Structure formats: structure tokens, C-alpha cells
């Protein structure tokens, strides 16, 4: 269940200094102010971005009324079932979210969960939004009805040790410094708090200029080295990756995104081969990877990551 922006405001901090913010108003606008800085509202949500440290510009954010920096097309009519076919619901995500919800239900109080990149409901994440005992806080670099504030994940305007869980799905490839974002996740989680992350491995560029990084399963695990591992692996196997490859090969040769989608549709059946692939083989050729873990006071060592890979191959 999403909390309201008003309920969220008391915990918000200055993204640059982490100072407490106070709400003020002029004749025409509301602001959140620290002793040294001021942040405006757009469409009822505060814009808490340190633009001196962001790929986003203040002019573009306010000119677009905090709209998405890329076009996000919604499928309709005949395209809806085709999109479902080409962007299948992953059983791994479904099972991991079910496990996360079950773990959160063990807490004595309603769980506070932060969604990083929550401008839309991520694939398989609906159970978090539907659960009456889960309090969802959500932000993105653009504002929607699903966010309470707009921020850059490199500098989260949030207090230390506050959340019971953080979910970050298909976001870390879009940030310039993933390790800094993961450090922020660690900071805002309470002791032993949970993190669930999904990130691409073998996917082609999407979201154009806002796409930067990929991770192997081991690289992803080491990115979250300050977390104790609960589970990790492939979140989309080689079959799904093959569909992506067919799409981008066709669109590159023919200079046509439509041709790419037709090629992807021609090979939609390859996604079902993932069910036949053992986990160790699937991770090395995966479309994406996931990590589920708990905040820890100790980190795994460089040698540990070699053992992690070798253990996964057994």
C-alpha cells in the first residue's frame, strides 16, 4: 500500500547535506527548505535532486513538469497480448517477491519498503502494492501517481536505518555509479534489512542515453558485498536473452525497430527453453540477474567472489 506524499514529507532530507527539511510556502509555490538549500514542488511532489551531481538538468526537469526523460509507450488493443508474449512474467521474480512478502510478514510492525525507480509498477511487483500491511515509499527521476517524491538514487533524501526492505528492479543499469546507489540502499536500511535487486546482464541498450552498465551474476553479487546472501541467480535465462538478440540484430541490419519486434516475435518460443536449463548454465548466459540479501556489518572478500562462482557451478 503506497503511503501519501504528505505522510512521506516528515522523513525527507536534503539530498546534498542530509539536513532536515522544513515545509514553507510563498504566494504561489510550496518548498522544502534546509538551512542552506531550497527545493520546489511539481504536481504536488517535492523535487529532491542535487543537480550538481546528476545527469539530469534542473531546466529539463522543470520544463517537462518532472516527466520521464524518455518516452514510455503503453501497449493497447492487439499490442497488449503481444507485449505480454514478448515481455513474459518471470517465474523467478514471482517466487522471489512471494518470498520477500513472506519474510516481511514476520515483522512485528507493518513493513516499510522503499521502491527505487518506482515510476511504474515493476514486473511481478504487484503483490507488494496490494499487501495491506506493507507501507510502500517510492521515488524515481520522474513523477507519477506511484511516487511520493522525485530524486536521484545516488543521493537518496532519506534517513539512515529507516526501511525494512528496498526493492530496485531494472534500475542499476541506468545509474552512473551503481556502487554509490547500493551504498545508499545499505544506509537507509535498518540492521538486517532486506534488499531485492534485478539488473540486466546480456541485454542490449534500452532507454538510450540513460543506459550505462551490465553485471554478471558474480559481479552483481560483489556489488552487494556488504549484504549477506539469501539467494541470487538468473532472473531471465538465455532463452529470453536470445529474443533480445534477435530483436536488436534485425533492427540493426534493417534500421527498423518494427523489424526488431517482428524478429523477437518469431523467436518468442525460445523463452520456454529456460525451464530446461540448469541454474549454473543459465546464469552464465542470462538476460538478467537477481540478488536477495540482508544488510550486514561485514563484507565478502575478493577471494569470496571466486568461491561464490565456483560454488554455483557445482
Amino acid at each position: 500500500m503506497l503511503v501519501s506524499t504528505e505522510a512521506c514529507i516528515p522523513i525527507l532530507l536534503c539530498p546534498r547535506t542530509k539536513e532536515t527539511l522544513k515545509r514553507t510556502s510563498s504566494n504561489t509555490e510550496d518548498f522544502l527548505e534546509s538551512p542552506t538549500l531550497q527545493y520546489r514542488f511539481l504536481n504536488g511532489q517535492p523535487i529532491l535532486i542535487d543537480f550538481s551531481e546528476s545527469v539530469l538538468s534542473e531546466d529539463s526537469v522543470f520544463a517537462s513538469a518532472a516527466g520521464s526523460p524518455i518516452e514510455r509507450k503503453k501497449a493497447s488493443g492487439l499490442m497488449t497480448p503481444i507485449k505480454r508474449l514478448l515481455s513474459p512474467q518471470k517465474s523467478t521474480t514471482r517466487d522471489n517477491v512471494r518470498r520477500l512478502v513472506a519474510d516481511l510478514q514476520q515483522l512485528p510492525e507493518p513493513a516499510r519498503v522503499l521502491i527505487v525507480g518506482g515510476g511504474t509498477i515493476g514486473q511481478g511487483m504487484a503483490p507488494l502494492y496490494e499487501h495491506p500491511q506493507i507501507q510502500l515509499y517510492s521515488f524515481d527521476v520522474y513523477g507519477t501517481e506511484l511516487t511520493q517524491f522525485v530524486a536521484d538514487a545516488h543521493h537518496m533524501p532519506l534517513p539512515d536505518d529507516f526501511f525494512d526492505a528496498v526493492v530496485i528492479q531494472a534500475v542499476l543499469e541506468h545509474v552512473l555509479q551503481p556502487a554509490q546507489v547500493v551504498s545508499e540502499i545499505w544506509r537507509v536500511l535498518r540492521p538486517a534489512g532486506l534488499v531485492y535487486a534485478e539488473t540486466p546482464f546480456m541485454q542490449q541498450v534500452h532507454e538510450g542515453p540513460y543506459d550505462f552498465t551490465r553485471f554478471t551474476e558474480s559481479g552483481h553479487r560483489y556489488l552487494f558485498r556488504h549484504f549477506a546472501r539469501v539467494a541470487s541467480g538468473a532472473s531471465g535465462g538465455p532463452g529470453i536473452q536470445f529474443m533480445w538478440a534477435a530483436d536488436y540484430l534485425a533492427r540493426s541490419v534493417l534500421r527498423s525497430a518494427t523489424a526488431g519486434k517482428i524478429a523477437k516475435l518469431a523467436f518468442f518460443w525460445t523463452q520456454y527453453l529456460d525451464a530446461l536449463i540448469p541454474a549454473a548454465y543459465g546464469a552464465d548466459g542470462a538476460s538478467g540477474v537477481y540478488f536477495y540479501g540482508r544488510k550486514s556489518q561485514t563484507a565478502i572478500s575478493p577471494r569470496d567472489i571466486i568461491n561464490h562462482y565456483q560454488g554455483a557451478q557445482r
Side-chain angles (χ1 to χ4, degrees), residues 103 190 192-195 226-230 292-296:
D103 288 342
R190 65 170 178 79
L194 296 162
V195 63
H226 291 278
F227 293 82
R229 177 182 177 272
V230 176
Y292 183 37
R294 288 188 180 274
K295 181 177 178 177
S296 174

Side-chain angles (χ1 to χ4, degrees), residues 24 68 70 73 107 129 132 138 151 158 169 188-189 207 211 233 239 249-250 253 257 272 295 300:
T24 60
S68 174
I70 65 158
K73 296 180 180 178
L107 298 176
Y129 289 79
S138 171
L158 296 164
Q169 182 190 50
V188 303
L189 275 172
E207 300 196 6
D211 192 340
L249 176 62
V253 170
Y272 302 114
K295 181 177 178 177
I300 65 170

Side-chain angles (χ1 to χ4, degrees), residues 227-287:
F227 293 82
R229 177 182 177 272
V230 176
S232 62
S235 61
I240 291 177
Q241 191 279 131
F242 192 90
M243 284 200 307
W244 274 79
D247 178 346
Y248 278 76
L249 176 62
R251 73 167 65 191
S252 299
V253 170
L254 300 174
R255 284 78 162 173
S256 167
T258 300
K261 296 306 178 187
I262 293 172
K264 193 175 185 181
L265 187 60
F267 288 97
F268 81 93
W269 54 272
T270 61
Q271 65 186 285
Y272 302 114
L273 298 177
D274 286 339
L276 307 176
I277 300 172
Y281 289 90
D284 279 358
S287 171

Side-chain angles (χ1 to χ4, degrees), residues 15-289:
R16 184 181 299 179
T17 66
K18 297 299 185 287
E19 294 172 313
T20 300
L21 294 172
K22 178 183 177 182
R23 189 164 190 167
T24 60
S25 298
S26 68
N27 292 333
T28 57
E29 285 190 279
D30 287 344
F31 302 90
L32 287 180
E33 292 183 332
S34 75
T36 55
L37 296 166
Q38 186 181 72
Y39 299 93
R40 294 166 57 189
F41 281 70
L42 275 176
N43 301 321
Q45 297 185 18
I47 310 301
L48 297 172
I49 297 175
D50 180 359
F51 290 103
S52 68
E53 295 284 340
S54 177
V55 298
L56 302 171
S57 75
E58 185 171 8
D59 288 345
S60 64
V61 168
F62 282 91
S64 68
S68 174
I70 65 158
E71 183 181 3
R72 298 179 185 275
K73 296 180 180 178
K74 292 185 178 180
S76 60
L78 181 61
M79 293 306 298
T80 301
I82 292 176
K83 184 175 181 179
R84 290 198 194 103
L85 191 65
L86 298 182
S87 300
Q89 189 81 230
K90 301 180 185 70
S91 60
T92 303
T93 302
R94 183 185 64 242
D95 294 343
N96 287 336
V97 171
R98 185 184 298 128
R99 184 175 186 177
L100 173 60
V101 169
D103 288 342
L104 293 173
Q105 287 175 328
Q106 303 304 310
L107 298 176
E109 301 290 338
R112 296 169 176 163
V113 177
L114 175 66
I115 308 293
V116 180
T120 60
I121 297 177
Q123 192 179 78
M125 297 296 160
L128 291 170
Y129 289 79
E130 296 165 356
H131 200 289
Q133 295 302 311
I134 293 178
Q135 298 175 353
L136 282 185
Y137 297 73
S138 171
F139 75 91
D140 211 317
V141 294
Y142 61 100
T144 73
E145 69 281 358
L146 298 170
T147 58
Q148 294 100 10
F149 58 96
V150 175
D152 186 317
H154 294 90
H155 302 280
M156 297 185 193
L158 296 164
D160 297 356
D161 305 324
F162 186 81
F163 294 99
D164 297 296
V166 175
V167 173
I168 181 164
Q169 182 190 50
V171 171
L172 287 169
E173 72 270 31
H174 300 302
V175 303
L176 279 176
Q177 300 183 67
Q180 183 175 331
V181 173
V182 173
S183 178
E184 283 288 87
I185 291 171
W186 191 95
R187 179 182 65 80
V188 303
L189 275 172
R190 65 170 178 79
L194 296 162
V195 63
Y196 181 69
E198 289 184 359
T199 311
F201 170 28
M202 297 182 69
Q203 286 184 16
Q204 286 72 18
V205 169
H206 52 278
E207 300 196 6
Y210 300 97
D211 192 340
F212 308 110
T213 309
R214 298 293 184 269
F215 288 94
T216 64
E217 198 280 332
S218 290
H220 201 235
R221 170 66 188 102
Y222 196 68
L223 179 66
F224 287 90
R225 58 189 172 276
H226 291 278
F227 293 82
R229 177 182 177 272
V230 176
S232 62
S235 61
I240 291 177
Q241 191 279 131
F242 192 90
M243 284 200 307
W244 274 79
D247 178 346
Y248 278 76
L249 176 62
R251 73 167 65 191
S252 299
V253 170
L254 300 174
R255 284 78 162 173
S256 167
T258 300
K261 296 306 178 187
I262 293 172
K264 193 175 185 181
L265 187 60
F267 288 97
F268 81 93
W269 54 272
T270 61
Q271 65 186 285
Y272 302 114
L273 298 177
D274 286 339
L276 307 176
I277 300 172
Y281 289 90
D284 279 358
S287 171
V289 295

